Amino acid sequence: MPVVATVLIPTFNHGPTLRQSVGSVLEQTVSDIEIFIVGDGVPEVTREIVADLMRRDERVRFFDNPKGPRTGEIHRHQALAEARGEIVCYLADDDLWLPDHVETMRHLLDEADYANALMLHLDAAGRLGVSPLDLSYPGERELVLAGRKGTSLSCMAHTLEMYRRLPFGWRTTPEGMYSDRYMQQQFLSQTSCRAVSSTRPTMVKFKSPERRSWTLDQRVAELAEWRRKLASPEDREKFVYEILDVLVREEVAMRHRFEDSVGLRLYKLFSALPVVGPLFRFVARGGAIQPARAAKEAPHRAPR
């Protein structure tokens, strides 16, 4: 039987959160999947939970490895040697997918080699944030390669064929770097890699650093509540409107920051000078100092 997607879920010491994260995978609209839970020195409680998940659904498989370097990236590479999916999707053991995540990634990868989902994240106070990455926009790929942008593990997807063309695959990440971004850079450094981005809300990241003081029971309760919400069509619709609200407010705030910026104030000041103003505007139109708004307006201004 063909497998549409291999879903790889690395795990170290979260254990009980797997019931919710894996549950969101089992509820996907695409059912022809295999789920690889890749252990990295897990405690016994995690083995018991995973054994129960495997008893409940034969699509779940466990790779029980000793603790590896860093986040056990080498274990992910070894597991993918046995993958059968046309595409590979990733999920952190304390994040959730909406039901159409795999379906969305599969559609994107029909014409691409690598894809990222829209990154949505919740802080410890329950405030929603959006960190978009649009690889179709000029310059975004270069920002990822420079280490200035990136997405979380739960956003990543790629074809299995592209992974097997990479020079290394998952490997131990250098100190000071995130393992998911290090892997993203490997894909995007390949000029042959066709990369696309999704603007659909299909995942939610629950920021671990902000929840360090939480008990596992608290984390599981939060995930369970959000998994229930995201399974409901009505609540998913409300969720989309909440995302739109965040984006609109961030756009307004960004515009105000631009209007208040020192660069814009200086541009307006020098442009208004009677003698040097015309020369300054001429230089600014062709130079890097031109503000974004001036760049859009300049071609439409009548010569003076």
Side-chain angles (χ1 to χ4, degrees), residues 142-154:
E142 288 71 21
L143 288 174
V144 174
L145 292 174
R148 294 172 57 191
K149 288 194 78 171
T151 56
S152 74
L153 181 73
S154 302

Side-chain angles (χ1 to χ4, degrees), residues 258-273 276-277 280-281 284 289-291 294:
F258 175 72
E259 293 290 347
D260 294 338
S261 67
V262 173
L264 181 61
R265 291 201 297 270
L266 288 174
Y267 177 82
K268 290 178 177 178
L269 174 64
F270 284 105
S271 295
L273 295 175
V276 299
F280 180 81
R281 288 192 299 273
I289 62 173
Q290 178 181 357

